[in-house]
Amino acid sequence: MADITDIKSILYTEKSLSMQENGVIVVQTTMGVSKNQLKAIFKDYFGFVPLKINSLRQEGKVKRFKGRMGQRNGYKKFYVKVPKDANITALSA
């Protein structure tokens, strides 16, 4: 069962801010969260059911750390279509 702690952050980029005008927010989570679990999190903690959820896995980037090869952590990203009457300001708090 997914919990609110599985949501790492809400992403605020140029693309995601333009999508927020259309009622879509971008949520970064741990890799083990599914669409149904995320829908349950929004229903339990924020009081609304998302209209549509799209997901993608973002693999970690391969980088050099002090001369040694390493890899950043991967994460899962969800595009969540929010109903018009939902309070999005509660999500950023």
Side-chain angles (χ1 to χ4, degrees), residues 7-58:
I7 294 179
K8 290 183 181 179
S9 66
I10 295 175
L11 296 177
Y12 294 106
T13 60
E14 219 174 301
K15 181 180 176 181
S16 68
L17 288 175
S18 66
M19 292 176 75
Q20 278 186 2
E21 295 171 359
N22 297 327
V24 177
I25 59 172
V26 182
V27 180
Q28 181 179 351
T29 65
T30 58
M31 289 291 240
V33 178
S34 68
K35 289 182 182 183
N36 289 333
Q37 290 172 340
L38 188 70
K39 189 181 284 190
I41 290 172
F42 272 92
K43 185 178 178 185
D44 293 342
Y45 291 99
F46 301 117
F48 64 88
V49 177
L51 301 175
K52 186 175 180 182
I53 298 177
N54 293 329
S55 66
L56 66 96
R57 291 172 56 109
Q58 186 71 42

